[in-house]
Amino acid sequence: MSFLQRAYRRLNPQKKPDLEPAFRHSTAFLPTLWLIGKTGAGKSSLIRAVTGQSDIEVGRGFRPCTQTAVRYDFPADTPVMTFMDTRGLAEAGYDAADDIRACEGSSHALVVVMRADDPEQSELLRALKQIKRSGKVRNALLVHTGIQLLDSEDELQRCIQHNQLAVEAVWGPIESAPTDLIGRDGTPVGIAALIDKLGNFLPIVAELFERRSNSSAEETNFQKLKTEVMWYAGAAGATDAVPVVGLVTVPTIQTKMLHSLANYYGLEWDKRLITELVSTLGVGFGVQYASRLGIQQLVKLIPVYGQTVGAASAAVTSYCVTYALGRVGCIYFFNKQRGESTSPEQLQATYRKAFEHIMPVAKDDAENHR
């Protein structure tokens, strides 16, 4: 069997297996930002400011998570991370235990949201004391909101210092981010710094929300598709954390992704297009891709080692490979749609760059499935 025939079979399986379990497994372990604060502190506004979603989109996206919290998966149709919003803080005897358990199965960070002009935070401080005692949550950021509601800089600094010291008395040293999630003129203030600090805890936050200047029409176009590519990559990584299953589903997930991307560019994902893409990538690349998957599955089956280090390594690799395939697919389809050619060198360089670029997100994602 020739190289092209083997590659075609991998990227165009005869059967159409049910991929929903893979996506459900991935969604169950999404990186999580846990927002805790009093009603009116600005938790929903924070989600809107960071994601760029509208009031209606955010409002409709919440769904029950625990008895005292709701979650907002982003994006709604192809979720790659989630926000958990504690709503029961004002209830008598609020117990954070359920919310702590909801977070500890995935990578997470606690986002403490406090209005700068509100010094009465006893309910929140009691909850933080319980969360701190649990030892389950280490990454935390204090967000001071409504900074433009105060009349003077001196008053603002006094208010921020008061709340900062109150939180540090129960939590210990904690980094902070002063923001105004609405702004005097309707433009949020301090969001770039907020995203940067959250990205230090969860790499996916920086990947999704950091504002980047795009240098080409193709790169601008890819930004519209990036979350979908990451969604498929997350499913591939999650699936590959389970022995044997990945051998069947990872190539199928990658095929489904490329099919969806081709359709976006108005192209039909058929044998001819598969052959063209694989040929442009080059035989050396294809052999490496085809062999890497089989090696991953073999490593995962080695007792003890295969169930820990091997599985994590396989999950990281599948995430990175899937993301990189999606990236080169977008370039190839974009150029083909415009009647332009794409060189093997360009695709291979793009593949390597994308693979390395997404590695921190992939490693963090793999930790969620251990």
Side-chain angles (χ1 to χ4, degrees), residues 144-170:
H144 300 281
T145 63
I147 61 173
Q148 292 193 337
L149 296 174
L150 295 159
D151 295 330
S152 69
E153 182 65 22
D154 287 345
E155 183 183 11
L156 171 62
Q157 293 306 319
R158 284 195 301 272
C159 289
I160 286 179
Q161 184 180 34
H162 174 87
N163 285 343
Q164 185 82 26
L165 292 175
V167 171
E168 291 187 347
V170 299

Side-chain angles (χ1 to χ4, degrees), residues 265-312:
Y265 288 97
L267 303 172
E268 184 179 353
W269 182 246
D270 54 15
K271 183 174 182 178
R272 179 178 178 181
L273 188 59
I274 296 172
T275 303
E276 289 177 357
L277 176 58
V278 172
S279 298
T280 305
L281 278 167
V283 173
F285 164 84
V287 170
Q288 182 186 38
Y289 164 76
S291 63
R292 176 174 282 173
L293 181 67
I295 291 172
Q296 288 171 223
Q297 306 308 316
L298 180 62
V299 169
K300 287 193 300 178
L301 294 176
I302 299 173
V304 183
Y305 177 84
Q307 293 170 19
T308 54
V309 178

Side-chain angles (χ1 to χ4, degrees), residues 14 21 39 52 54 56 102 116 131 142 171 240 282 293 300 309 330 360:
Q14 296 300 310
T39 300
S54 68
I56 295 176
I131 297 168
L142 173 56
W171 189 270
D240 220 352
L293 181 67
K300 287 193 300 178
V309 178
C330 285

